[in-house]
């Protein structure tokens, strides 16, 4: 029967007239709009059920303060389930009359704004009639239909049916460009009605493969694997037939077959297919090389099995299988993949990301496996390329694409808000050794070969000060001492700081070949900020910082680099709040006057700036002028600070959000900037400046722009992809023309963290905990 989850006036659970117990759903006291997913849903074991659960989780995490996701779970007379709270309706697809009842309830539900149907014909044909089509035409709410399978070369009956379904829907979502092409060419579906949103993939904390193999008793093995609900369509026998040839060249190979038999297969034929495979294992004498894991693994365990896999094998024999969730999971874990040519694989794999073989061709499979097993550099290269290829398909990015579609369909009435991620120091700490924070990472693994920089450790010192002031977490002091001691290590008898140190803690030749003014300026900012927090930080740390600061101040008159002067002004502004002196004011005025002269030399009616170009860290310049005004009271500093910041805002904000100045070409006076090469550090500096300008001018527009800038990290950028990785706590290194740089180095990660902590200081008291 069709069921709706009812409540009494106290919103408590009770039973209907039938023997079925109805779930209590999540209260929507805020009357947020609801998006209703019609789909199979866990605990039902089904690929679409898992897909929907993953997507809904991502939507809730990203946009939980913009709308609620509710579910109408699909089931049949033969299988009933006890669902989680988000399930608002249940449709028994075996009963024709329940389709019409459900349509009526949805139409009467004022909270439901959009209906999203996850479609496979097998999900809706159990009544024996075409009730699904009638249901779509009875709905008065806009419908998005997601086709998980699109069959090419349809007969007239199927073609007509698909055209009728899409005619009843506002939008059609498919997961591959091939599926979109088939809909256009074979079904005459208008292109403007089709949206391609790739199957989501999981962000993964990549764990050492050797460690995982030991954990699961596979030490010393070369691991091949496949997973999913077992059925003959997976053609596991193709791999079994190839194994004897593979083992001749690689005796330590083991093949993992992960997953329970598909429930529908169990109903129709029991375990015949699995038993046949076991028989093949015996006849081919593969008992020591094949392991059946007959279980539906929890996601964390499954992802660990995939991460320890050396080669993932996808051998489906269905050429019309448009997408595969198992394939997507394997790519999430950076598995080198050998696959048959389903459309999903043809779009995802090339010679740099995997190997395509013909259907049921065990010879090609063996050849591909042997090649990869005997070429470790190639496997590693494929793994890295795979991660770069699929980062755009993360569930978080899928959620962004879906939310944008929802908003378009409602005429921008959803009032989209990105949820604020929890503050996470995991990656910062992972990048930090007992000596300091490492400069670069390969993906999310620290690259000790890249050494250390004063720049990064100065920034890390500021970030950890901010975090300690917010939380009072005692472990922060350990890291504060590490970063401060690194800065001391870089200080030279001549009164300046060196910047570059290798993994052996030796200063490198790069210090002789580089302008170190910016690094020295950032260090003054960091020391000044640290000393200004003298009421909350340990006395000894403050004492040592003051000693170092006094020594460093002796060389500041000689700094002429534009941004270095701005960093120093900001540092002295903080320093003076704790250690007031006329010398601080003199230095600030000296440096600020130099910036004033630069501004007067370069500025014009249409170019109100200090230089003839906008480059990196631009916001620090007007912010420094405001700091100089705050310390000295000199009105010209405030006036130039305001006019230059207004000019910068005009050139970096548009109706879509923040447009970061490209590091590929910069913005030259009278020219247009590139639309890619955007870096997190520039966004962070923008957020710092917005806070400063709000503090001085009390204009709410600065807070709005601060929020807009922070949303750049969360997906409101020109690629509509996340830059902050909530799984690792790291931040991707930049936004390129067609992709994000998936490395998560110190500069990017610290920049994000400082921005996030700044946002925390400007949260309103009545803001929800996870939004700004």
């Amino acid at each position: 029967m069709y069921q709706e989850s009812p409540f009494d006036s106290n919103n408590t659970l009770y039973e209907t007239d039938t023997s079925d117990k109805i779930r209590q759903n999540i209260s929507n006291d805020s009357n947020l709009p609801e998006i209703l997913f019609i789909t199979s849903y866990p605990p039902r074991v089904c690929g679409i059920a898992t897909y929907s659960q993953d997507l809904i989780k991502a939507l809730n995490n990203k946009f939980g303060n913009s709308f609620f996701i509710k579910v109408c779970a699909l089931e049949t007379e033969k299988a009933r389930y006890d669902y989680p709270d988000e399930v608002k309706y249940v449709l028994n697809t075996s009963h024709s009359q329940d389709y019409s009842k459900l349509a009526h309830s949805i139409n009467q539900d004022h909270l439901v704004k959009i209906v999203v149907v996850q479609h496979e014909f097998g999900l809706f044909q159990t009544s024996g009639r075409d009730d699904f089509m009638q249901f779509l035409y009875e709905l008065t709410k806009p419908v998005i239909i997601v086709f998980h399978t699109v069959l090419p070369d349809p007969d007239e009956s199927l073609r007509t049916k698909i055209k009728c379904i899409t005619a009843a829907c506002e939008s059609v979502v498919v997961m591959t460009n091939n599926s979109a092409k088939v809909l256009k060419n074979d079904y005459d579906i208008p292109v403007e009605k089709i949206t391609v949103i790739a199957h989501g993939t999981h962000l993964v904390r990549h764990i050492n493969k050797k460690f995982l193999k030991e954990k699961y008793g596979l030490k010393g093995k070369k691991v091949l694997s496949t997973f999913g609900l077992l059925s003959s369509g997976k053609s596991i026998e193709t791999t079994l037939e190839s194994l004897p040839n593979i083992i001749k060249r690689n005796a330590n190979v083991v093949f993992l077959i992960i997953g329970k038999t598909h429930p529908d297969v169990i109903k129709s034929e029991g375990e015949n297919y699995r038993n046949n495979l076991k028989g093949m294992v015996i006849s081919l004498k593969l008992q020591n090389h094949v392991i059946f894991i007959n279980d539906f693994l929890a996601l964390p365990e499954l992802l660990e099995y995939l991460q320890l896999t050396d080669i993932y094998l996808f051998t489906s024999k269905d050429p019309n299988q448009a997408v595969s969730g198992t394939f997507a999971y394997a790519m999430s874990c950076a598995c080198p993949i050998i696959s048959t040519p389903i459309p999903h694989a043809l779009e995802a794999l090339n010679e740099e990301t995997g190997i395509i073989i013909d259907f049921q061709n065990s010879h090609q499979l063996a050849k591909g496996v042997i090649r990869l097993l005997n070429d470790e550099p190639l496997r590693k290269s494929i793994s890295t390329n795979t991660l770069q290829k699929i980062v755009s398909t993360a569930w978080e990015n899928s959620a962004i694409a879906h939310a944008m579609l929802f908003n378009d369909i409602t005429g921008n009435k959803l009032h989209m808000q990105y949820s604020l991620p929890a503050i996470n120091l995991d990656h910062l700490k992972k990048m930090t050794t007992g000596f300091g924070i490492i400069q670069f990472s390969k993906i999310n693994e620290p690259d000790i070969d890249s050494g250390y920089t004063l720049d990064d450790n100065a920034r890390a010192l500021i970030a950890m000060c901010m975090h300690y002031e917010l939380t009072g977490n005692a472990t922060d002091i350990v890291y504060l001492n590490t970063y401060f001691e690194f800065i001391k290590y870089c200080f030279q008898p001549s009164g300046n700081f060196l910047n570059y140190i290798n993994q052996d803690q030796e200063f490198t030749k790069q210090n002789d070949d580089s302008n170190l003014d910016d690094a020295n300026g950032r260090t003054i900012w960091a020391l000044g900020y640290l000393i200004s927090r003298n009421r909350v930080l340990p006395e000894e740390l403050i004492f040592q910082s003051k000693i170092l600061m006094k020594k460093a101040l002796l060389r500041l008159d000689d700094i002429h680099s534009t941004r270095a002067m701005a960093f120093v002004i900001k540092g002295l502004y903080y320093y003076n709040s704790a250690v007031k002196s006329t010398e601080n004011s003199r230095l600030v005025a000296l440096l600020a006057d130099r910036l004033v002269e630069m501004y007067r030399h370069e500025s014009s009616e249409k170019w109100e700036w200090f230089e003839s170009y906008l480059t990196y860290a631009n916001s620090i310049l007007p912010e420094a002028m405001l700091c100089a005004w705050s310390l000295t009271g000199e009105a010209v500093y405030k006036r130039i600070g305001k006019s230059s910041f207004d000019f910068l805002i005009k050139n970096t904000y548009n109706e879509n959000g923040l447009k970061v100045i490209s590091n590929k070409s910069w913005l030259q006076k009278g020219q247009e900037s590139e639309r890619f090469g955007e870096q997190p550090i520039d966004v962070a500096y923008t957020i710092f400046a917005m806070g400063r300008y709000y503090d001085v001018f009390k204009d709410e527009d600065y807070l709005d722009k601060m929020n807009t800038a922070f949303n750049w990290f969360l997906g409101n950028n020109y690629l509509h992809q996340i830059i902050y990785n909530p799984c690792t706590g790291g931040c991707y290194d930049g936004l390129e023309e067609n992709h994000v740089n998936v490395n998560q180095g110190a500069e990017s990660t610290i920049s994000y963290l400082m921005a996030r902590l700044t946002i925390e200081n400007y949260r309103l008291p009545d803001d929800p905990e996870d939004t700004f």
Side-chain angles (χ1 to χ4, degrees), residues 619-670:
S619 296
I620 191 68
L621 302 183
E623 185 190 359
M625 298 306 293
L626 215 53
C627 288
W629 166 77
S630 295
L631 196 153
T632 67
E634 184 62 50
V636 66
Y637 301 157
K638 183 179 183 181
R639 179 178 60 78
I640 291 176
K642 181 69 166 63
S643 62
S644 61
F645 197 51
D646 288 346
F647 169 78
L648 182 62
I649 288 173
K650 185 170 67 175
N651 281 277
T652 53
Y653 279 82
N654 56 36
E655 66 278 6
N656 298 317
L658 178 66
K659 177 187 175 184
V660 181
I661 300 299
S662 168
N663 68 350
K664 303 298 182 185
S665 63
W666 308 129
L667 175 59
Q668 306 290 331
K669 185 188 293 188

Side-chain angles (χ1 to χ4, degrees), residues 308-321:
L308 64 79
T309 293
D310 292 290
I311 305 172
Y312 184 80
L313 305 176
F314 183 84
T315 53
S316 169
K317 61 184 180 183
D318 180 5
N320 295 322
Q321 183 176 354

Side-chain angles (χ1 to χ4, degrees), residues 450-613:
S450 67
Y452 306 83
T453 68
L454 175 67
D455 279 329
D456 291 330
N457 281 272
R459 281 186 283 255
L461 184 70
I462 296 171
M464 198 56 75
C465 281
M466 296 171 72
H467 189 264
Y468 182 75
E469 188 174 18
L470 175 67
T471 67
N473 190 322
T475 60
D476 291 354
I477 300 300
V478 176
Y479 291 90
L480 282 169
N481 283 318
T482 297
Y483 304 137
F484 175 71
E485 289 298 323
F486 184 96
I487 291 172
K488 280 178 62 179
Y489 189 88
C490 292
F491 188 69
Q492 302 300 297
S494 56
N496 67 316
F497 297 87
L498 298 183
N499 190 26
Y500 301 101
I501 299 178
N502 65 22
Q503 61 178 317
D504 298 319
Q505 302 178 18
E506 301 166 337
F507 292 109
T508 71
K509 189 177 182 300
Q510 194 172 356
N511 290 294
D512 301 325
D513 302 332
S514 304
N515 186 328
L516 304 181
D517 282 357
D518 281 9
N520 278 258
R522 285 192 188 91
T523 304
I524 297 301
W525 171 21
L527 290 173
Y529 189 84
L530 174 68
I531 294 166
S532 74
R533 269 50 193 168
N534 59 340
R535 295 183 180 181
V536 296
L537 292 173
E539 291 182 8
E540 180 62 22
L541 180 59
I542 297 297
F543 177 73
Q544 293 294 331
S545 301
K546 287 179 178 178
I547 293 174
L548 186 58
M549 185 69 154
K550 287 179 181 178
K551 294 178 180 178
L553 291 178
L554 301 176
R555 289 285 302 270
L556 297 184
D557 287 43
D558 299 330
I559 288 183
H560 289 82
S561 171
T562 311
R563 280 152 189 77
M565 291 190 292
F567 289 133
V568 170
I569 290 170
K570 192 170 178 179
L572 289 171
Y573 164 79
Y574 284 118
Y575 179 57
N576 195 69
S577 69
V579 183
K580 296 186 184 301
S581 76
T582 56
E583 177 63 8
N584 295 338
S585 298
R586 183 194 71 81
L587 280 171
V588 166
L590 174 71
L591 300 177
D593 285 345
R594 289 174 183 171
L595 291 176
V596 169
E597 289 303 311
M598 294 178 68
Y599 179 85
R600 287 172 173 167
H601 181 266
E602 292 294 344
S603 66
S604 62
E605 182 179 352
K606 295 183 178 181
W607 188 265
E608 298 178 83
W609 196 244
F610 306 85
E611 300 162 312
S612 62
Y613 42 74

Side-chain angles (χ1 to χ4, degrees), residues 4 35 73 78 119 150 155 179 208 232 351 439 463 514 550 559 602 611 622 660 664-665 670 673-674 700 714:
E4 183 174 352
I35 314 296
K78 298 178 180 179
H119 181 272
V150 179
D155 59 26
S179 292
N208 181 272
S232 60
E351 61 183 12
Q439 184 176 193
S514 304
K550 287 179 181 178
I559 288 183
E602 292 294 344
E611 300 162 312
V660 181
K664 303 298 182 185
S665 63
S673 176
E674 297 279 2
E700 296 285 336
L714 306 182

Side-chain angles (χ1 to χ4, degrees), residues 310-312 330-331 333-338 348-356 368-369 371-373 375-390 443:
D310 292 290
I311 305 172
Y312 184 80
M331 293 194 77
C333 296
C335 294
I337 298 175
I338 298 176
L349 300 184
N350 56 34
E351 61 183 12
E352 295 181 342
T353 54
I355 295 174
I356 298 288
V369 169
R371 177 190 171 200
L372 291 180
L373 287 181
D375 192 341
E376 185 173 356
L378 177 59
R379 292 203 313 276
K380 288 184 176 180
S381 174
I382 287 175
S383 292
T384 301
N385 294 336
T386 296
L387 280 178
Q388 183 65 73
K389 178 101 174 179
I390 59 93
I443 314 299

Side-chain angles (χ1 to χ4, degrees), residues 311-461:
I311 305 172
Y312 184 80
L313 305 176
F314 183 84
T315 53
S316 169
K317 61 184 180 183
D318 180 5
N320 295 322
Q321 183 176 354
V323 293
S324 166
T326 64
F327 185 94
Y329 276 47
M331 293 194 77
S332 299
C333 296
C335 294
I337 298 175
I338 298 176
S339 175
T340 50
I342 68 166
H344 192 173
L346 291 174
E347 289 190 15
L349 300 184
N350 56 34
E351 61 183 12
E352 295 181 342
T353 54
I355 295 174
I356 298 288
I357 62 171
D358 293 333
F359 293 105
Q360 297 179 283
N361 194 318
S362 58
H363 173 73
Q364 289 180 3
L365 179 59
K367 183 179 178 181
V369 169
I370 291 168
R371 177 190 171 200
L372 291 180
L373 287 181
N374 293 336
D375 192 341
E376 185 173 356
L378 177 59
R379 292 203 313 276
K380 288 184 176 180
S381 174
I382 287 175
S383 292
T384 301
N385 294 336
T386 296
L387 280 178
Q388 183 65 73
K389 178 101 174 179
I390 59 93
V391 67
S392 64
T393 68
W395 281 115
E396 288 76 5
N397 292 329
S398 179
I400 293 168
H402 279 87
M404 291 173 62
L405 180 59
F406 299 161
N407 205 34
D408 286 345
I409 286 176
T410 61
N412 299 315
K413 294 179 180 178
L414 289 182
H415 306 293
M416 304 294 294
Q417 297 181 67
Y418 287 84
S419 297
L420 199 57
I423 296 169
N424 183 351
L425 303 186
D426 286 355
H427 192 59
L428 180 81
K429 292 180 177 181
K430 183 177 182 179
M431 293 284 289
T432 302
T433 69
F435 182 61
I437 190 165
I438 296 169
Q439 184 176 193
F440 297 139
S441 75
K442 294 179 179 177
I443 314 299
N444 67 320
E445 289 299 316
D447 180 12
I448 188 62
D449 291 341
S450 67
Y452 306 83
T453 68
L454 175 67
D455 279 329
D456 291 330
N457 281 272
R459 281 186 283 255
L461 184 70

